[in-house]
C-alpha cells in the first residue's frame, strides 16, 4: 500500500500534489472495481463504528470550524446550521453508513439479458464509474455520504470540501480511512484534498490528467456554475432548489398547513426546503390567510404578490427576483395562481427542476401536476423536505441531480454506476 498522503505545506507544489492524488485514486479504483461485496461491507461497518467512537473528536473539530465561521460577519444563520454538527447528526451519519452497508451491492448486477437469433446471449451489467470528484460546501456530513456511497458502488472518490468545514471533514475522513484500513482496501479509495487552496478546485475540474471520470458539485449556485463552466469531465448537475408547494382549492387546510410549515421551516438551509408557496385562487379565501399567518408566526418572512399582501400587513411586496430565489433561510415567496395550470406554468417559468409538491384532495389535479411538472422529484400531499436520499431508502446521497443525463433525483450507490455489455457466444462469426 502506498505511503499516506502528507498534508500540503506552504512550499509544496500543488500541481504535483494533485496529480499524485489522482494517480493514487485511479489505482485504488481498479482495486475497488474487483473488491467483493463482503470486503466493502467490512469497511463500511468499521467506518460506522469509527465514526461513533470518534464522535467527540469530530464535534471538537466542528466546533472550531463553527467558531471561525461565526467570527466572519457575512455568514448567515442558515449557513451556520448547515455547517454545524451535533451529537444527533453524528449519530445519524453513522447510522446512514450502516444503511448503505445494508443495501444490495449494485456492482455486477445483470439489469437485462436477451438472446439473439444467432444464439448469442447479451447481458447488460452494472459496473463502477471509476474515480468520482466531489466538490462541496459547508455541510461536512457530505464527506461521509459521498465517501461511503462511492465505496459501495466500487468507485474511488476525491473529496474537496469547503474551506469552512476543513477541520470537520478531516476528522470524518480519518474515520473513513480507518474503515478502509481495517478491511484491507487502499486508503486512496477515499481521498480528501488536504488543502484549502482554491486552486485545487480548478485542477480537480481539469480531470487530473484523465484520472477523474465524473465531477459532482454539491453547493450553491456560484459553485455549480463554475463547475459546469470549467469542468473537462462529465458533471452530475445539482442545481439550486427553487422548490414550490402548490395548495389546490380541494386541499385539506390542516394538511396544507402542516406540509407548508414543515417544507419551509423544518430546516431552511437544505436544498429540499420550499422557497415559493402557490395558492389556488379558487381556494384562497379559505386557505391563504391561515397559511400566511402561520408562516409569519413561525418566524418566516413572507414576500407576496398583491393578493397575498392584502391578507396581512406584515407581508412584504415580492420582487421579480423573489420568484427565482433559493433563500435557504426563513423567507418564502407567495403567490395566488389560477388553479393547477397556473401553478404548473409558474413552476415551468421559475423552478429549478429540483423538487415540487401539490397538496390536493383532487386526484385528477394531482395526476396532472405529477405528470406535467418536469422536476427530479414531484410529491403529492407530502413535504418537499423528503427530497433526501436517506428518505428514499438509499442510506445517503451525494446530492439531488437536476440534470437529465445518467442520474436524476437523489444520487445513491446505484446512480454511481455505469454499465457494460457481456456477450456469450458459441463460436459465432459475423457474415
Amino acid at each position: 500500500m502506498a505511503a499516506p498522503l502528507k498534508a500540503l505545506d506552504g512550499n509544496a507544489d500543488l500541481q504535483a500534489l494533485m496529480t499524485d492524488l489522482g494517480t493514487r485514486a485511479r489505482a485504488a479504483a481498479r482495486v475497488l472495481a474487483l473488491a467483493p461485496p463482503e470486503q466493502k461491507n467490512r469497511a463500511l461497518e468499521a467506518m460506522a463504528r469509527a465514526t461513533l467512537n470518534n464522535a467527540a473528536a469530530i464535534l471538537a473539530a466542528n466546533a472550531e470550524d463553527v467558531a471561525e465561521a461565526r467570527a466572519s460577519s457575512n455568514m448567515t444563520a442558515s449557513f451556520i446550521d448547515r455547517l454545524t454538527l451535533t451529537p444527533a447528526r453524528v449519530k445519524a451519519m453513522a447510522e446512514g453508513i450502516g444503511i448503505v452497508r445494508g443495501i444490495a451491492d449494485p456492482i455486477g448486477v445483470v439489469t437485462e439479458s436477451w438472446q439473439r437469433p444467432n444464439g448469442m446471449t447479451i447481458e447488460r451489467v452494472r459496473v463502477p464509474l471509476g474515480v468520482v470528484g466531489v466538490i462541496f460546501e459547508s455541510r461536512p456530513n457530505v464527506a461521509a455520504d459521498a465517501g461511503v456511497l462511492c465505496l459501495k458502488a466500487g468507485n474511488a472518490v476525491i473529496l474537496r470540501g469547503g474551506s469552512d468545514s476543513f477541520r470537520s471533514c478531516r476528522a470524518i475522513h480519518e474515520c473513513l480511512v480507518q474503515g478502509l484500513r481495517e478491511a484491507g482496501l487502499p486508503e486512496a479509495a477515499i481521498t480528501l484534498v488536504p488543502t484549502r487552496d482554491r486552486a485545487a478546485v480548478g485542477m480537480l475540474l481539469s480531470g487530473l490528467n484523465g484520472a477523474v471520470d465524473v465531477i459532482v458539485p454539491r453547493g450553491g449556485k456560484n459553485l455549480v456554475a463554475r463547475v459546469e463552466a470549467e469542468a473537462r469531465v462529465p458533471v452530475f448537475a445539482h442545481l439550486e432548489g427553487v422548490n414550490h408547494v402548490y395548495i389546490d382549492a380541494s386541499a385539506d387546510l390542516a394538511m396544507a398547513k402542516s406540509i407548508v410549515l414543515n417544507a419551509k421551516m423544518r430546516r431552511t438551509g437544505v436544498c429540499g426546503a420550499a422557497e415559493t408557496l402557490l395558492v389556488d385562487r379558487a381556494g384562497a379565501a379559505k386557505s391563504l390567510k391561515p397559511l400566511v399567518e402561520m408562516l409569519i408566526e413561525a418566524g418566516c418572512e413572507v414576500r407576496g404578490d398583491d393578493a397575498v399582501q392584502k391578507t396581512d400587513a406584515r407581508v412584504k411586496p415580492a420582487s421579480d427576483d423573489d420568484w427565482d430565489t433559493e433563500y435557504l433561510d426563513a423567507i418564502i415567496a407567495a403567490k395566488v395562481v389560477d388553479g393547477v395550470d397556473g401553478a404548473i406554468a409558474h413552476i415551468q417559468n421559475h423552478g429549478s427542476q429540483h423538487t415540487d409538491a401539490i397538496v390536493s384532495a383532487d386526484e385528477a389535479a394531482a395526476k396532472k401536476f405529477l405528470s406535467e411538472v418536469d422536476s427530479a422529484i414531484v410529491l403529492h400531499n407530502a413535504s418537499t423536505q423528503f427530497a433526501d436520499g436517506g428518505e428514499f431508502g438509499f442510506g445517503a446521497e451525494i446530492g439531488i441531480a437536476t440534470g437529465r443525463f445518467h442520474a436524476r433525483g437523489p444520487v445513491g450507490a446505484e446512480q454511481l454506476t455505469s454499465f457494460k455489455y457481456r456477450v456469450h457466444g458459441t463460436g459465432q462469426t459475423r457474415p
Side-chain angles (χ1 to χ4, degrees):
M1 186 176 296
L5 191 64
K6 295 181 180 180
L8 182 70
D9 62 44
N11 298 319
D13 182 341
L14 181 59
Q15 183 66 61
L17 176 98
M18 295 297 292
T19 299
D20 182 55
L21 184 151
T23 300
R24 290 167 180 256
R26 175 56 65 187
R30 289 193 289 269
V31 175
L32 288 182
L34 302 176
E38 297 79 12
Q39 187 178 22
K40 291 186 286 185
N41 285 340
R42 285 200 305 274
L44 292 167
E45 182 179 14
M47 289 173 186
R49 184 171 59 249
T51 299
L52 290 175
N53 290 343
N54 292 281
I58 293 171
L59 291 170
N62 182 249
E64 291 186 48
D65 284 336
V66 171
E68 187 173 271
R70 288 188 187 280
S72 175
S73 59
N74 62 347
M75 295 303 179
T76 64
S78 59
F79 179 91
I80 296 297
D81 177 65
R82 293 194 299 275
L83 176 62
T84 301
L85 293 175
T86 64
R89 290 180 183 180
V90 173
K91 181 181 178 183
M93 190 162 53
E95 290 173 348
I97 297 173
I99 294 172
V100 171
R101 177 185 179 276
I103 65 177
D105 194 297
I107 300 305
V109 172
V110 177
T111 60
E112 289 186 65
S113 178
W114 63 96
Q115 190 171 57
R116 298 292 297 147
N118 64 3
M120 290 194 312
T121 298
I122 303 175
E123 300 172 326
R124 188 161 71 181
V125 188
R126 287 202 191 109
V127 297
L129 292 172
V131 177
V132 181
V134 181
I135 304 171
F136 58 99
E137 297 174 329
S138 68
R139 293 181 64 180
N141 63 292
V142 175
D145 292 349
V148 302
L149 285 170
C150 286
L151 174 66
K152 186 75 176 187
N155 301 301
V157 61
I158 300 172
L159 303 168
R160 206 296 182 175
S163 59
D164 302 289
S165 60
F166 185 75
R167 300 177 188 87
S168 306
C169 291
R170 191 165 53 188
I172 293 168
H173 178 248
E174 288 175 1
C175 299
L176 304 182
V177 170
Q178 183 175 330
L180 293 169
R181 192 182 299 124
E182 289 188 28
L185 290 170
E187 294 179 22
I190 303 175
T191 297
L192 180 69
V193 175
T195 173
R196 295 186 181 191
D197 193 328
R198 294 190 177 186
V201 174
M203 295 175 189
L204 189 55
L205 293 177
S206 74
L208 300 178
N209 297 325
V212 178
D213 295 287
V214 65
I215 294 286
V216 180
R218 178 79 179 268
K221 188 173 184 178
N222 291 338
L223 170 65
V224 175
R226 180 188 176 186
V227 170
E228 293 192 318
E230 296 182 20
R232 297 184 182 179
V233 294
V235 175
F236 282 2
H238 289 64
L239 297 181
E240 61 201 328
V242 182
N243 306 322
H244 303 74
V245 178
Y246 164 62
I247 309 302
D248 189 57
S250 66
D252 175 80
L253 180 57
M255 180 189 292
K257 291 175 69 175
S258 175
I259 288 174
V260 170
L261 185 64
N262 182 268
K264 177 69 257 186
M265 298 300 288
R266 174 188 166 269
R267 287 190 69 184
T268 60
V270 298
C271 66
E275 306 292 16
T276 300
L277 171 65
L278 302 174
V279 177
D280 188 351
R281 193 178 307 278
K286 174 187 73 173
S287 61
L288 183 57
K289 185 175 179 63
L291 288 168
V292 170
E293 290 179 344
M294 174 197 69
L295 286 165
I296 293 174
E297 289 166 8
C300 182
E301 178 183 315
V302 178
R303 302 177 183 179
D305 65 1
D306 291 342
V308 177
Q309 291 175 57
K310 290 175 182 177
T311 65
D312 195 298
R314 295 170 292 179
V315 176
K316 297 181 178 180
S319 69
D320 290 341
D321 290 340
D322 282 314
W323 310 120
D324 303 303
T325 299
E326 182 184 32
Y327 300 108
L328 298 174
D329 205 348
I331 306 170
I332 195 168
K335 184 178 184 179
V336 173
V337 295
D338 292 319
V340 67
D341 287 315
I344 292 169
H346 180 94
I347 293 169
Q348 286 175 336
N349 290 330
H350 301 283
S352 59
Q353 299 185 327
H354 191 292
T355 301
D356 297 293
I358 179 174
V359 182
S360 176
D362 183 340
E363 290 296 329
K367 183 177 180 180
K368 182 179 182 67
F369 185 94
L370 296 178
S371 175
E372 297 186 20
V373 172
D374 186 22
S375 295
I377 303 171
V378 285
L379 307 101
H380 176 209
N381 291 344
S383 169
T384 59
Q385 298 247 351
F386 283 106
D388 180 270
E391 295 297 328
F392 276 53
F394 297 170
E397 67 176 39
I398 283 186
I400 306 293
T402 55
R404 299 178 186 278
F405 292 102
H406 189 80
R408 204 172 192 209
V411 177
E414 183 178 317
Q415 290 72 35
L416 290 169
T417 64
S418 182
F419 59 85
K420 69 179 180 182
Y421 292 99
R422 294 194 305 221
V423 181
H424 301 275
T426 54
Q428 288 89 340
T429 60
R430 185 171 178 177

